[in-house]
Amino acid sequence: ETGVTQTPRHLVMGMTNKKSLKCEQHLGHNAMYWYKQSAKKPLELMFVYSLEERVENNSVPSRFSPECPNSSHLFLHLHTLQPEDSALYLCASSQGEWETQYFGPGTRLLVL
Amino acid sequence: AQSVSQHNHHVILSEAASLELGCNYSYGGTVNLFWYVQYPGQHLQLLLKYFSGDPLVKGIKGFEAEFIKSKFSFNLRKPSVQWSDTAEYFCAVSKAAGNKLTFGGGTRVLVKP
């Protein structure tokens, strides 16, 4: 299933590195989301974009910076992360804001 | 604040056994309800959803869920599981349309062959 793709699938980075996660949806949707999935914790919503405008920032630290250049692409720029930021980062999209969401495979991030 | 509880963190059962996973939510108004599944090494997939109408919802792969408004519950069921049902299952709730989706903590299900 290739409706929502994410790259890279795995990423290891040091605390001083800058990296970016990419999400692309091929479903013609207008809303995109970033979630964080940590071990033993529920999925945590990070950011929501609707029609390329950020509509929600769920108290995410500034070391995470999202970018939505168009309705098909969503980026998460990472800078000076902490080891506790290690997690699976999931992208999702939906036809309209908060309609049924379809998820990508995630990027598993390890911060050393 | 809206919350979603999944009672069991881990469930282990044998093939052909019946499965029921509990999900309760805290919001008292109109809700949209979802079950997602994450198979090992795969992405989250929508299993079924309830917006309105018949409270007994049929999903993919033989799963069903029943919305009981008086109990604030949306339990997932499958009469006879297969080894391939080994996965983590997530319940999610939003307040009607246009509202934030809140996920439960997930239940890991292991089906022994």
Side-chain angles (χ1 to χ4, degrees), chain A residues 1 4 9 35 37 40-45 56 58 88 90 97-106, chain B residues 32 34 36 38 41-46 49 51 88 90 94 96-101 103-106:
Chain A
E1 195 173 322
V4 182
R9 294 294 306 276
Y35 286 89
Q37 188 178 24
K40 300 182 181 179
K41 292 177 70 174
L43 262 73
E44 300 172 70
L45 177 68
E56 180 142 354
N58 206 29
L88 182 68
L90 293 171
E97 190 181 339
W98 294 121
E99 293 187 21
T100 304
Q101 294 175 41
Y102 295 85
F103 285 81
Chain B
N32 291 339
F34 305 81
Y36 282 87
Q38 190 169 29
Q42 296 189 31
H43 60 275
L44 271 170
Q45 302 171 44
L46 183 66
K49 62 184 178 183
F51 285 0
E88 189 162 12
F90 295 89
S94 69
N99 276 278
K100 178 177 166 179
L101 193 62
F103 281 84

Side-chain angles (χ1 to χ4, degrees), chain A residues 18-37:
Chain A
K18 288 185 183 180
K19 296 286 184 183
S20 295
L21 309 185
K22 179 182 176 182
C23 175
E24 184 173 0
Q25 58 94 2
H26 310 273
L27 301 169
H29 288 169
N30 293 315
M32 298 185 78
Y33 312 79
W34 279 117
Y35 286 89
K36 178 182 179 182
Q37 188 178 24

Side-chain angles (χ1 to χ4, degrees), chain A residues 22-107:
Chain A
K22 179 182 176 182
C23 175
E24 184 173 0
Q25 58 94 2
H26 310 273
L27 301 169
H29 288 169
N30 293 315
M32 298 185 78
Y33 312 79
W34 279 117
Y35 286 89
K36 178 182 179 182
Q37 188 178 24
S38 305
K40 300 182 181 179
K41 292 177 70 174
L43 262 73
E44 300 172 70
L45 177 68
M46 300 177 73
F47 300 103
V48 182
Y49 276 82
S50 179
L51 297 172
E52 302 150 45
E53 295 291 323
R54 190 190 311 181
V55 297
E56 180 142 354
N57 174 348
N58 206 29
S59 303
V60 180
S62 59
R63 57 186 184 268
F64 294 92
S65 174
E67 178 190 2
C68 187
N70 55 63
S71 59
S72 299
H73 293 86
L74 184 65
F75 294 89
L76 187 63
H77 303 300
L78 314 173
H79 176 50
T80 59
L81 295 193
Q82 305 298 311
E84 59 265 28
D85 296 321
S86 299
L88 182 68
Y89 288 85
L90 293 171
C91 174
S93 71
S94 62
Q95 179 59 49
E97 190 181 339
W98 294 121
E99 293 187 21
T100 304
Q101 294 175 41
Y102 295 85
F103 285 81
T107 295

Side-chain angles (χ1 to χ4, degrees), chain B residues 36-108:
Chain B
Y36 282 87
V37 60
Q38 190 169 29
Y39 297 103
Q42 296 189 31
H43 60 275
L44 271 170
Q45 302 171 44
L46 183 66
L47 202 51
L48 49 78
K49 62 184 178 183
Y50 171 82
F51 285 0
S52 64
D54 188 344
L56 185 62
V57 181
K58 303 285 187 184
I60 60 172
K61 305 187 181 187
F63 284 90
E64 65 179 29
E66 186 175 12
F67 170 48
I68 303 180
K69 189 173 182 179
S70 60
K71 295 185 178 180
F72 301 91
S73 70
F74 189 55
N75 292 356
L76 181 71
R77 298 193 291 251
K78 185 169 183 178
S80 176
V81 294
Q82 300 172 310
W83 175 79
S84 57
D85 293 321
T86 294
E88 189 162 12
Y89 294 81
F90 295 89
C91 180
V93 179
S94 69
K95 298 178 192 178
N99 276 278
K100 178 177 166 179
L101 193 62
T102 301
F103 281 84
T107 299
R108 286 186 187 272

